[in-house]
Amino acid sequence: MLPYVGRRLIATIPVMAVVAIVVFMLLRLTTGDPAAIIAGDNATSQDVAAIRERLGLDRPLVEQFVIWLGRLLRGDFGESFFFKKQVSELILERVEPTLALATCTIVLTVALAIPLGILAAWRRGTWLDRIVMGFSVLGFSVPVFVIGYLLIYLFAIELAWLPVQGYQRLRDGLGGFVERLILPSVTLAVVFVALIARITRASVLEVLNADYVRTARAKGLSELPVMVRHVLRNAAVPIVTVIGVGIAVLIGGVVVTESVYSIPGLGRLTVDAVLARDYPTVQAVILVFSVVYVLINLLVDLSYTFLDPRIRY
Amino acid sequence: MSRLRSLAAVVVVALVVVVAAPAPTVAETTLRVVMHSDLKIVDPIWTTAYIVRNHGYMIYDTLFAMDAKGDIKPQMVDKYEVSKDQLTYTITLRDGLLWHDGKPVTTDDCVASIKRWAAKDSMGQKLMTFVKDIQIVNPKTFKIVLNEPTGLVLGALGKPSSNVPFMMPKRVAETDPNTQISDFTGSGPFVFRKDEWKPGDKAVYVKFDKYKPRPEPPSALAGGKVVKVDRVEWKWIPDHQTAMNALIAGEVDYLEAPPHDLLPIAKADANVKLVDVNPLGNQYTFRFNALARPFDNAKVRQAVFYTFNQEDFLKAVVGDPAYYKVCKSFFPCGSPLSSPKGMEGLLESNFEKSKALLKEANYDGTPIVLMHSTDLAVLTNLAPVAKSLLEKGGFKVDMISMDWQTLVARRAKKDAPMAGGWHAFLTSWVAADILNPVMMGFMNASCDKAMFGWPCDKEIESLRDQFARETNPAKQKAIAEAVQVRETQYPTHVPLGQWYLPSPVRKNVDGIIQAPVPVFWNVTKK
């Protein structure tokens, strides 16, 4: 397996190179001028030109790319145009909220979606199945921000059980950390629970009719061991794939939730940087996201070998 | 098994300790404010962005400041004298002024700060054309020697809005004006906590215990800056609805600039009040590109004055008449230079007159490229109204939607409108930025040196120079009126009325000062 992992990791290098070039070019081709944004509304053209020169934006594109690439190869993402901070420092500051939110959401999703999917498949065609599938359709259909506002209204404004917004770092107290993650995690989990419950139901249904399940039942095994040992294990590959994709989507897709709950995470950093045309920050964040995507895909592929002994690399 | 139990016990005890651990020590009174923008840049000379200007008022002080009547009063200055020939201003600093690092404020610092500010600010640049020399007499006194009299000295040094001449220590003020500073030592009433500043989350200021306020009561940006809270946190909540929810839940105390459509929610809450923080308000403006045909013809621009009316714009964006005012004046209504002179018959949607002027100007139907900003609630509805009125007045209009930052970049381009350039866009000015013809950026008609739009008119420039030289307020007003009359003949922009935005504040917060800039001295929180 190690040679396979090595090959996959080496294969990420050209992927990263393509991502780097595309991101760099796309940003430069997008309208908008970071120097004009920095200078402010009352600035003169001379002020803007001076800032552009200071940021090196007046140099030819190729020269800008070579300078950026050179720094990148030395592990230096450069300095943000706006924040007067190293981009790596900015990213590190924002990783914790996003990681915490994504982790809580995934834990909540897996804890709810897999049992719900199994229940729906096991009781196929009954009211339980219809309720789970109805929730699933609803979860897909309602936009995340609507769910967010509804939860805030109910639990933060009306009942005053939880805070409306904000994030508290773990080192500043577990209570506040958990308290501030509950509503955002539930908000974000709704759509993933809906997705994974549906996939789980479909996968389990496929396996439920298999010969080996009928044989297990015929041998007199009770339903729980049948479901856990024979059905779920064999239905796991598509479920794990979707969870893996879900994690990847989650890491990059927490923007709306982070905005609604005012969580200073990576999603909001990306949006702020894009709106401000903060090229070094956008480039670095997208590269980091790409690495995360590639690694998650690799982990998902590797997990197949544990779930299905027939798969070997 | 017993090992597992022990491990579980340890985990439980650890969790209890973490949960029960006391919260980090917080100052006694913390005012939590949601400002209109996130604080990303912290050099108020490097940028003109309002959020950075507001940050400047927290940590820096000014030599002079504008009071509630619009008069310029000494702030860091103890006394100043003007020589009989009006060519020398002798300025003496107050006793006991200290930087946040404990060192005394000296005239060396102030002169270096004036020089850095004047290199960037348009009013500062104008002032420096009159300045022959700045002489340091001693650590507390310096002289500004002019080559000819001007009424600009106090007005420029007490300028309320961007770029504000904030005083910085000499070592900081010697930074190139086009390089952002990284030392945030000021002498203002608050100290910036750089270690707690998290862009995208919050900026923190604590009371500067050694700040020596003036003895007078506070009045707008002048008077005694007495800090009555221990700490002010600027919390950045980008979503307006979330910010309003946080205010209602008591998680924040003050919203600087929510959109008008959320004000009824604040009004309906028993714990929230609306405070009119900036009574002068803001002015909507339609800006021409005077280089692009057909707006290179003043007659075509005059037609726009006839086709527009202010009420339609104000209704479309603000809605509630309690928060807007029709004001047919280039200078904000309620400010000293406000006047209706020259505006008779204009801004009344006289479409026939507009069409007649276009015919006279041989307008050939070239579509007007109107840039429409879509992401700022206070601007979004302006361009569609302008398009509708312009079309009724005989123009053809090509409205192009874009985000504000794209607009900001595009307006700097002199390309042909259909090739990436532009004809017109709409924006808003804080009234404090447009109080006189020198201050008003859009009135600068110095061709290439003017702001985007590049109007070019010797008469306007000559009047602006006269205004700068004049020291008599009555004569200044007459010149301002003359500029306004000339603006109706050679329009650089169109004023589209004044609007106001009260700030929703928790009822336990008092003492908010009415000023063109939100400031936090004198504010109490029970």
Side-chain angles (χ1 to χ4, degrees):
Chain A
M1 191 185 290
L2 276 180
Y4 171 75
V5 174
R7 278 201 309 277
R8 284 285 298 266
L9 288 176
I10 290 168
T12 60
I13 295 170
V15 174
M16 289 299 110
V18 170
V19 170
I21 294 168
V22 169
V23 170
F24 184 90
M25 290 314 295
L26 269 181
L27 280 173
R28 264 62 181 187
L29 293 174
T30 311
T31 51
D33 180 358
I37 299 166
I38 289 168
D41 284 356
N42 299 352
T44 60
S45 312
Q46 289 85 347
D47 292 336
V48 176
I51 292 175
R52 198 175 290 128
E53 189 188 336
R54 173 72 53 182
L55 298 177
L57 293 169
D58 57 338
R59 294 178 186 175
L61 266 188
V62 177
E63 191 182 333
Q64 288 183 45
F65 182 72
V66 170
I67 292 171
W68 176 66
L69 198 65
R71 280 187 185 150
L72 195 64
L73 291 174
R74 293 196 300 272
D76 176 10
F77 284 132
E79 190 181 86
S80 158
F81 285 169
F82 287 82
F83 298 109
K84 192 89 182 121
K85 279 188 174 189
Q86 288 298 310
V87 172
S88 49
E89 197 186 329
L90 271 178
I91 292 176
L92 280 176
E93 276 176 8
R94 304 296 191 96
V95 160
E96 187 197 305
T98 301
L99 214 57
L101 180 57
T103 308
C104 282
T105 305
I106 286 297
V107 169
L108 202 64
T109 301
V110 172
L112 287 173
I114 293 179
L116 282 175
I118 293 172
L119 272 177
W122 185 46
R123 291 282 177 252
R124 186 189 183 182
T126 64
W127 59 269
L128 188 66
D129 183 20
R130 286 193 196 104
I131 287 177
V132 173
M133 286 305 99
F135 163 79
S136 180
V137 171
L138 198 70
F140 272 130
S141 318
V142 183
V144 171
F145 69 92
V146 174
I147 297 169
Y149 287 140
L150 287 175
L151 290 177
I152 288 173
Y153 179 73
L154 185 63
F155 294 104
I157 305 278
E158 284 299 308
L159 299 171
W161 289 351
L162 294 163
V164 170
Q165 51 79 43
Y167 175 77
Q168 182 174 306
R169 286 176 192 275
L170 185 56
R171 64 167 180 268
D172 295 334
L174 183 67
F177 172 78
V178 172
E179 197 181 45
R180 281 176 170 76
L181 275 179
I182 294 173
L183 287 183
S185 303
V186 172
T187 304
L188 204 50
V190 169
V191 67
F192 288 101
V193 169
L195 172 71
I196 292 169
R198 255 188 116 80
I199 297 291
T200 306
R201 178 183 178 272
S203 304
V204 168
L205 275 178
E206 224 171 85
V207 179
L208 267 179
N209 297 323
D211 291 343
Y212 54 85
V213 174
R214 201 178 307 121
T215 309
R217 281 180 177 144
K219 277 164 62 184
L221 271 180
S222 63
E223 275 302 291
L224 190 64
V226 169
M227 293 305 282
V228 175
R229 274 190 224 152
H230 298 281
V231 176
L232 193 55
R233 197 160 178 202
N234 284 291
V237 168
I239 299 171
V240 168
T241 307
V242 174
I243 292 174
V245 172
I247 294 172
V249 171
L250 240 176
I251 300 277
V254 292
V255 177
V256 176
T257 313
E258 285 185 356
S259 293
V260 169
Y261 289 99
S262 192
I263 296 171
L266 276 179
R268 252 183 53 196
L269 175 67
T270 315
V271 173
D272 288 349
V274 169
L275 289 176
R277 313 292 193 269
D278 189 356
Y279 299 157
T281 307
V282 180
Q283 286 160 187
V285 172
I286 291 178
L287 276 180
V288 168
F289 280 159
S290 308
V291 171
V292 170
Y293 280 28
V294 168
L295 290 180
I296 286 174
N297 273 323
L298 179 60
L299 284 176
V300 169
D301 286 351
L302 293 179
S303 72
Y304 294 161
T305 59
F306 298 103
L307 296 168
D308 188 344
R310 291 168 298 179
I311 299 173
R312 282 284 172 267
Y313 298 115
Chain B
M1 187 60 103
S2 65
R3 264 188 195 174
L4 270 179
R5 274 188 196 153
S6 310
L7 185 65
V10 168
V11 170
V12 169
V13 169
L15 280 175
V16 168
V17 168
V18 172
V19 173
T25 313
V26 288
E28 210 180 325
T29 324
T30 301
L31 188 73
R32 293 185 179 85
V33 186
V34 179
M35 299 300 283
H36 70 274
S37 173
D38 181 30
L39 183 73
K40 295 185 179 81
I41 298 167
V42 276
D43 184 345
I45 305 301
W46 197 55
T47 177
T48 59
Y50 287 151
I51 189 69
V52 189
R53 172 203 65 186
N54 300 354
H55 160 81
Y57 273 106
M58 296 294 279
I59 67 168
Y60 301 111
D61 214 345
T62 53
L63 293 173
F64 295 89
M66 185 183 278
D67 72 4
K69 290 180 192 160
D71 296 332
I72 303 298
K73 300 283 183 189
Q75 182 52 240
M76 293 168 81
V77 169
D78 179 30
K79 57 181 182 183
Y80 69 97
E81 285 165 16
V82 186
S83 62
K84 277 186 184 164
D85 59 4
Q86 298 197 324
L87 288 178
T88 305
Y89 284 68
T90 306
I91 295 170
T92 304
L93 299 176
R94 281 194 283 139
D95 285 330
L97 298 178
L98 294 174
W99 297 112
H100 295 157
D101 58 12
K103 291 179 183 148
V105 176
T106 67
T107 44
D108 265 349
D109 302 313
C110 297
V111 171
S113 299
I114 291 171
K115 285 180 179 167
R116 184 167 192 261
W117 160 76
K120 290 286 282 189
D121 181 69
S122 55
M123 204 163 167
Q125 287 162 1
K126 192 88 188 163
L127 173 67
M128 291 316 255
T129 62
F130 292 94
V131 173
K132 195 159 113 190
D133 192 16
I134 304 181
Q135 300 165 354
I136 293 170
V137 178
N138 60 46
K140 280 186 62 191
T141 304
F142 68 102
K143 284 182 179 180
I144 298 177
V145 183
L146 307 175
N147 44 36
E148 59 178 306
T150 172
L152 276 187
V153 178
L154 299 187
L157 294 178
K159 189 175 181 261
S161 195
S162 298
N163 297 99
V164 179
F166 291 119
M167 295 300 114
M168 298 176 178
K170 189 181 177 192
R171 64 174 188 278
V172 181
E174 281 179 339
T175 309
D176 180 301
N178 291 312
T179 301
Q180 201 182 161
I181 57 169
S182 50
D183 177 342
F184 311 122
T185 309
S187 67
F190 292 95
V191 179
F192 182 52
R193 292 296 299 263
K194 190 184 172 189
D195 54 328
E196 293 191 58
W197 173 43
K198 302 219 172 337
D201 186 13
K202 65 178 177 182
V204 177
Y205 304 87
V206 293
K207 179 179 177 176
F208 179 37
D209 288 327
K210 291 177 184 161
Y211 180 76
K212 194 179 169 195
R214 294 190 70 84
E216 303 94 347
S219 173
L221 301 168
K225 298 178 177 178
V226 180
V227 175
K228 297 177 179 173
V229 291
D230 299 303
R231 183 179 164 96
V232 176
E233 288 184 6
W234 287 5
K235 174 90 188 131
W236 175 229
I237 302 180
D239 185 86
H240 292 303
Q241 183 63 59
T242 302
M244 186 59 77
N245 287 335
L247 180 76
I248 288 167
E251 291 173 25
V252 297
D253 305 302
Y254 181 145
L255 306 188
E256 187 202 347
H260 286 97
D261 57 358
L262 288 182
L263 293 179
I265 300 174
K267 240 183 194 174
D269 192 273
N271 297 312
V272 175
K273 60 186 175 183
L274 294 178
V275 180
D276 183 12
V277 178
N278 177 8
L280 266 186
N282 313 275
Q283 185 195 74
Y284 283 129
T285 305
F286 181 90
R287 176 67 163 175
F288 299 106
N289 180 354
L291 294 182
R293 204 173 58 83
F295 280 159
D296 58 343
N297 183 339
K299 212 158 244 176
V300 176
R301 301 203 298 275
Q302 285 172 27
V304 176
F305 258 105
Y306 281 98
T307 199
F308 280 169
N309 75 85
Q310 296 186 340
E311 187 97 25
D312 282 4
F313 288 96
L314 295 166
K315 264 187 189 161
V317 187
V318 182
D320 186 341
Y323 303 128
Y324 69 72
K325 185 196 277 177
V326 168
C327 171
K328 289 212 266 178
S329 164
F330 277 79
F331 306 102
C333 288
S335 70
L337 300 183
S338 163
S339 164
K341 196 155 188 185
M343 305 293 279
E344 304 84 2
L346 301 178
L347 295 169
E348 289 175 3
S349 279
N350 184 345
F351 301 126
E352 292 315 310
K353 177 74 181 172
S354 166
K355 284 174 187 167
L357 277 170
L358 290 181
K359 199 173 171 186
E360 225 175 284
N362 295 321
Y363 172 57
D364 60 358
T366 304
I368 301 300
V369 174
L370 176 64
M371 295 195 287
H372 172 212
S373 145
T374 54
D375 56 335
L376 298 179
V378 291
L379 299 179
T380 303
N381 292 348
L382 290 171
V385 175
K387 179 178 191 290
S388 165
L389 291 174
L390 285 169
E391 284 172 348
K392 285 179 186 166
F395 287 91
K396 278 190 182 164
V397 180
D398 182 8
M399 189 173 79
I400 300 174
S401 300
M402 60 192 79
D403 71 322
W404 176 250
Q405 305 301 0
T406 303
L407 190 154
V408 165
R410 187 163 172 173
R411 73 184 180 187
K413 291 183 179 171
K414 291 182 179 175
D415 301 345
M418 301 307 276
W422 57 284
H423 276 116
F425 71 95
L426 295 109
T427 187
S428 177
W429 285 91
V430 170
D433 276 332
I434 52 171
L435 294 175
N436 67 52
V438 177
M439 207 185 244
M440 192 182 292
F442 279 179
M443 266 189 181
N444 182 338
S446 57
C447 315
D448 274 352
K449 287 181 188 161
M451 290 179 89
F452 33 83
W454 310 280
C456 195
D457 186 62
K458 280 183 186 162
E459 199 173 328
I460 291 179
E461 282 306 285
S462 156
L463 286 165
R464 290 176 76 233
D465 277 344
Q466 284 177 42
F467 183 92
R469 283 184 175 83
E470 189 53 66
T471 52
N472 180 320
K475 287 181 183 167
Q476 279 188 331
K477 172 126 187 174
I479 297 168
E481 284 180 341
V483 179
Q484 179 161 296
V485 170
R486 178 60 189 159
E487 277 280 345
T488 62
Q489 297 154 358
Y490 183 92
T492 58
H493 64 287
V494 184
L496 294 174
Q498 246 159 288
W499 61 280
Y500 309 88
L501 184 59
S503 294
V505 179
R506 298 283 298 176
K507 281 190 176 160
N508 59 344
V509 174
D510 279 312
I512 293 171
I513 293 170
Q514 287 192 326
V517 176
V519 291
F520 298 96
W521 51 85
N522 200 53
V523 178
T524 59
K525 183 181 168 186
K526 285 173 201 154

